[in-house]
Amino acid sequence: MRVVDRAIVRLLPAVPRQVVQRLSAPYIAGATLDDARRTVAGLNAEGKLATVDVLGEEVTRAAEAEAVASAYHAVLDAIAGDHLDANVSVKLTALGLQVDLDRSLLATVVAYAAARGIFVRIDMEDSSCTDDTFLLYRELREARRDNVGIVLQSRLRRTLDDVAALAELRPSVRLCKGIYVEPPAIAYQGRDEIRESFVRVLHALLEAECYPAVATHDEWLLERVLERVEGMPRDAYELQMLLGVRERRASELVAAGHRLRVYVPYGERWYEYSLRRLQENPSLATMVATATVGRLVPGRG
Ligand code: FDA
């Protein structure tokens, strides 16, 4: 990332919310469940699968966590009712993990999904959540809930050990770099180290006969992944991308016959997710500058 982009990333929280909302519009389906339904139906028509995320994280009150769980139930009903080719992604902190609320909310959502034949992916958040996430996942699997999967982050130094520890469960694993900034003691910092770890973890997952959902837009990594999966049955792995990112490349991968799933976030609580997406956009500085000048100079932007 260029120096100017790094400076903008630091300043991003000071950028007016209205500007952040406008810039992040391509990354979010909209505010309502109907927006998400339409987006997923459109993706399905292009041969892409979807995973729906109800925006929100770090919930601090029981009532909020319960509202998130109800929103997921509505999503699951919509997926089943509309016969959409989609599953859901949940964040444990949105279901109250950090405030030690009733941990059974995750189990409730997973059971509701199981009754409709739908899979639930537990997103991975920062390293303060990693152990709890694996613990809850293991509990679900031991209770014979098989419609649930996890996420591993190649940024974390522990990840190969986590593959070894979880291998007996043959987990469905979304593999990504990991978006949260973590200290050098527990996380690789350099681009190349994170990429190399990603490739090592992918190989370990495949050797352990896990189902990998490979989530990256990084062309270098995608090429390594495509080399590795060449000749494998197309239902033995999938690729994943975020809504609004590298859509043309996603379509090419679908045309080449790969299963590709798009992460579709929707909801009122768009702000934190939007900041993270904008921070990863290589043309962030130009976008913010144009949008900000657009607000200051009438008729521009
Ligand atoms: P990288 O960031 O290097 O991006 C490669 C290229 O993609 C860029 O050079 C650019 O061309 C393009 N690009 C990337 N982001 C863009 C943007 N916002 N706008 C425009 N272009 C962009 N993380 C986590 O910690 N826990 C999780 O549960 C998940 N879940 C998840 C699901 C899915 C489906 C995806 C794709 C990603 C995640 N992530 C995640 C995020 C992941 O950890 C990582 O931060 C991002 O995918 C960015 O890393 P890449 O591997 O895409 O490479």
Side-chain angles (χ1 to χ4, degrees):
M1 202 177 241
R2 294 177 304 154
V3 176
V4 60
D5 288 311
R6 272 200 292 269
I8 298 265
V9 162
R10 277 198 296 275
L11 286 176
L12 203 48
V15 170
R17 284 173 79 93
Q18 240 181 306
V19 173
V20 171
Q21 187 170 24
R22 184 144 52 93
L23 294 179
S24 60
Y27 304 127
I28 294 170
T32 68
L33 176 55
D34 274 347
D35 294 326
R37 287 168 116 126
R38 266 193 302 277
T39 302
V40 172
L43 290 165
N44 285 174
E46 294 171 15
K48 296 170 183 165
L49 316 170
T51 184
V52 179
D53 168 45
V54 179
L55 286 170
E57 47 202 272
E58 298 190 11
V59 153
T60 52
R61 286 183 302 124
E64 277 181 279
E66 277 154 18
V68 172
S70 306
Y72 271 105
H73 292 174
V75 173
L76 292 163
D77 284 336
I79 291 174
D82 293 1
H83 305 289
L84 297 171
D85 206 338
N87 60 37
V88 295
S89 289
V90 301
K91 284 196 173 47
L92 289 181
T93 62
L95 291 173
L97 180 78
Q98 275 175 339
V99 278
D100 209 17
L101 295 169
D102 187 355
R103 289 176 163 220
S104 66
L105 278 181
L106 172 68
T108 311
V109 172
V110 171
Y112 202 90
R116 287 150 187 80
I118 301 172
F119 179 85
V120 177
R121 173 83 55 197
I122 311 172
D123 283 349
M124 187 57 85
E125 301 179 70
D126 69 52
S127 58
S128 69
C129 302
T130 315
D131 286 332
D132 280 339
T133 306
F134 292 149
L135 192 72
L136 288 178
Y137 170 72
R138 194 175 273 283
E139 280 173 17
L140 286 166
R141 290 295 308 280
E142 282 165 3
R144 306 219 172 283
R145 286 289 177 216
D146 292 333
N147 64 320
V148 60
I150 42 169
V151 175
L152 292 177
Q153 299 158 321
S154 75
R155 176 185 301 276
L156 295 188
R157 296 180 191 274
R158 59 180 282 171
T159 296
L160 263 190
D161 292 336
D162 290 329
V163 175
L166 291 159
E168 44 153 340
L169 297 172
R170 299 275 177 280
S172 164
V173 174
R174 176 193 297 150
L175 173 59
C176 64
K177 287 181 182 172
I179 189 135
Y180 302 91
V181 178
E182 304 284 0
I186 61 162
Y188 301 113
Q189 306 292 314
R191 183 192 67 177
D192 292 347
E193 281 180 314
I194 296 169
R195 277 177 168 171
E196 283 157 19
S197 164
F198 196 111
V199 174
R200 278 198 303 273
V201 175
L202 174 64
H203 284 236
L205 286 171
L206 289 170
E207 272 152 37
E209 293 173 18
C210 303
Y211 177 84
V214 187
T216 182
H217 317 96
D218 179 340
E219 192 56 35
W220 185 90
L221 264 183
L222 268 176
E223 276 162 25
R224 301 291 86 69
V225 173
L226 296 179
E227 279 162 22
R228 180 62 184 79
V229 300
E230 193 170 347
M232 279 174 52
R234 290 294 162 96
D235 59 358
Y237 66 93
E238 70 185 48
L239 306 174
Q240 296 194 347
M241 291 195 182
L242 300 169
L243 187 68
V245 182
R246 300 209 68 195
E247 290 174 330
R248 212 173 321 142
R249 184 65 174 123
S251 298
E252 281 170 17
L253 291 164
V254 171
H258 301 283
R259 276 162 67 81
L260 182 128
R261 189 177 303 276
V262 177
Y263 191 95
V264 176
Y266 86 93
E268 300 284 351
R269 296 196 49 193
W270 48 268
Y271 186 69
E272 293 84 355
Y273 182 85
S274 299
L275 283 192
R276 289 203 297 273
R277 292 289 75 79
L278 291 174
Q279 285 166 357
E280 288 187 325
N281 190 316
S283 47
L284 172 69
T286 320
M287 284 166 59
V288 171
T290 314
T292 311
V293 171
R295 284 177 76 245
L296 301 176
V297 183
R300 295 225 18 215

